Amino acid sequence: MIASMEPANRQMTARWLRENGKQNRVSSYLKEAIGFANTSAQVMIAFDFQDAIDPERVAFRIKSGGMKMDSMDSVVKTISMMRGIEFAISVTDKINGAIKIDFTGGPAAVVPHAKNMLVTVLEKNGLMVSDINDFSTETKGNSIILRGNLSTMAFNQVTSLIEHPISHGVDSAVTGKADDSQVDVGRNSKMYYDSIMEYVTEMYDRKGSSLDSRASWFEKYARQMDGLSTVNVDPDVVNFGSFVSHSFRDMTSKLRQMDMRRYENQVRYGANYDNATDNYNYNNYYYGYAYRYSKYTTERVKGSRQLNNESIKKMKTEVDQSRLDIDNRSADLRRKMSSKYKINF
């Protein structure tokens, strides 16, 4: 008997084989995560990685990422045995986060590198939450656990990774029962406006992100704004939200275009600069790229640096103009809504 699966999916194929061809169900790992959330956390995000990780690809990523470790084979084998990752958030007088990385065997080979590898992967995929840098690391059984405090901004970043239809259910419940004449449109509009401006503040005041990472967060926040409830919200306020969402998507496109130009510049002049922890700062707007001298001539390095600096300055001008446009629209809207509803926007 020969079976094939299209599109190719390592994890789903393994599950199908284990279940003797039966319909795939929720994995045991995710069921365990649900049980843990019911008793220990208000928010739980879980990813099942069993059978999803290719050892050869892991080895390639580690080598290409320049990570140095004593026993590459042991690290690759351990990572390949990863069951999954749980990100639990609990709220008391502050917001606490815990990342639990589970393995089918002992994780000793990975422990010294766990936090660095996690941060590297998150940054590479534009998903880094800066607070994770301050998390502590511990080992418990077959798990590596990172713990720490989360800021409100970090909490919003984490929850923005999961898109859900909850708001639509709330919308239908409200519209089906409430009398529009009794709804406080001004209050709803203020809540919607405040949510939009919270995303604006977080994105434009953010520091320490690479171009690709910042572009990813602009895109995620645009989707989050599109998902906000607009039931009984003033049309002018809804239009403002649409304008900000469009501005975020425009910034996503421009940032990625700039990152592509940076890559083309690197191909043209040679590998003269890399991702680095020493970020250049242009009026508190960080881009996360620094230069390094290589085997190439001083003239090539100079030419590469000049072209990249010009594109960075141009990008900064566009970012500043985007923020200015939003602030101007926001100021006009606040005056109009404050006068209309007699509340302070």
Side-chain angles (χ1 to χ4, degrees):
M1 180 181 295
I2 298 177
S4 65
M5 178 174 285
E6 179 67 27
N9 187 309
R10 179 187 181 92
Q11 186 178 53
M12 295 300 289
T13 302
R15 287 183 183 176
W16 185 81
L17 290 171
R18 280 200 305 271
E19 297 292 333
N20 295 318
K22 297 178 182 178
Q23 183 177 359
N24 284 298
R25 294 168 290 187
V26 175
S27 69
S28 59
Y29 183 81
L30 295 181
K31 289 180 180 178
E32 292 173 13
I34 294 172
F36 179 71
N38 287 338
T39 59
S40 306
Q42 286 85 10
V43 178
M44 169 64 74
I45 302 174
F47 302 90
D48 182 354
F49 286 136
Q50 187 169 358
D51 301 313
I53 301 176
D54 181 359
E56 292 184 2
R57 182 170 295 182
V58 171
F60 173 78
R61 292 287 176 85
I62 292 176
K63 292 177 181 178
S64 62
M67 298 182 187
K68 297 181 180 180
M69 45 197 67
D70 296 333
S71 179
M72 174 74 73
D73 292 340
S74 297
V75 171
V76 171
K77 182 178 179 180
T78 302
I79 294 177
S80 301
M81 295 189 300
M82 187 187 303
R83 291 188 65 207
I85 295 179
E86 299 175 6
F87 197 144
I89 300 176
S90 59
V91 182
T92 54
D93 57 330
K94 55 188 176 182
I95 306 175
N96 305 291
I99 302 173
K100 186 161 72 80
I101 310 172
D102 297 309
F103 302 85
T104 56
V110 176
V111 172
H113 317 284
K115 183 175 177 179
N116 180 47
M117 294 177 73
L118 177 63
V119 169
T120 300
V121 170
L122 291 175
E123 288 180 340
K124 183 177 180 60
N125 290 277
L127 299 172
M128 181 57 185
V129 177
S130 58
D131 290 12
I132 293 177
N133 284 315
D134 299 323
F135 277 24
S136 63
T137 305
E138 62 181 272
T139 305
K140 185 176 181 180
N142 291 339
S143 302
I144 298 174
I145 303 174
L146 291 83
R147 302 181 190 273
N149 297 329
L150 291 175
S151 63
T152 301
M153 179 186 294
F155 176 79
N156 289 338
Q157 290 173 354
V158 173
T159 54
S160 71
L161 299 175
I162 304 298
E163 297 178 37
H164 51 74
I166 292 177
S167 60
H168 300 296
V170 174
D171 290 351
S172 61
V174 171
T175 55
K177 297 180 180 179
D179 181 357
D180 288 348
S181 63
Q182 298 177 352
V183 174
D184 188 343
V185 176
R187 182 192 60 192
N188 288 353
S189 300
K190 177 66 164 57
M191 292 174 60
Y192 177 87
Y193 169 83
D194 287 344
S195 297
I196 293 293
M197 291 309 297
E198 184 176 352
Y199 286 121
V200 171
T201 300
E202 288 184 10
M203 277 310 312
Y204 286 99
D205 291 349
R206 178 173 300 190
K207 302 176 182 179
S209 299
S210 66
L211 294 175
D212 185 59
S213 176
R214 193 178 291 264
S216 296
W217 287 115
F218 265 117
E219 185 176 38
K220 290 180 178 68
Y221 279 6
R223 291 200 299 267
Q224 291 291 307
M225 287 187 286
D226 290 342
L228 292 174
S229 173
T230 57
V231 172
N232 296 306
V233 174
D234 189 285
D236 287 340
V237 182
V238 174
N239 290 337
F240 172 73
S242 298
F243 167 75
V244 175
S245 175
H246 175 78
S247 298
F248 274 31
R249 286 192 168 87
D250 187 47
M251 288 309 308
T252 297
S253 176
K254 289 179 178 178
L255 286 168
R256 285 178 173 157
Q257 287 174 9
M258 181 183 170
D259 201 34
M260 181 60 68
R261 288 195 296 269
R262 183 194 65 83
Y263 174 75
E264 292 172 350
N265 185 21
Q266 182 175 356
V267 172
R268 179 181 178 184
Y269 287 96
N272 302 315
Y273 51 86
D274 296 313
N275 288 333
T277 55
D278 296 328
N279 297 325
Y280 283 94
N281 180 1
Y282 293 88
N283 294 335
N284 292 326
Y285 198 86
Y286 288 72
Y287 289 95
Y289 294 99
Y291 296 92
R292 68 174 172 81
Y293 287 92
S294 65
K295 63 182 180 181
Y296 297 93
T297 64
T298 303
E299 289 77 15
R300 291 182 66 143
V301 173
K302 183 178 179 180
S304 175
R305 177 180 297 167
Q306 181 178 355
L307 285 176
N308 203 56
N309 282 345
E310 289 174 356
S311 64
I312 286 176
K313 290 178 181 178
K314 180 180 179 181
M315 188 69 252
K316 181 188 180 299
T317 300
E318 293 178 346
V319 169
D320 289 345
Q321 185 60 51
S322 173
R323 177 66 184 268
L324 181 61
D325 291 342
I326 292 175
D327 286 345
N328 289 337
R329 290 280 290 264
S330 172
D332 292 340
L333 181 68
R334 289 177 62 192
R335 285 192 293 268
K336 183 177 180 180
M337 293 297 105
S338 295
S339 175
K340 184 175 182 178
Y341 294 107
K342 310 303 179 185
I343 59 177
N344 184 18
F345 263 71

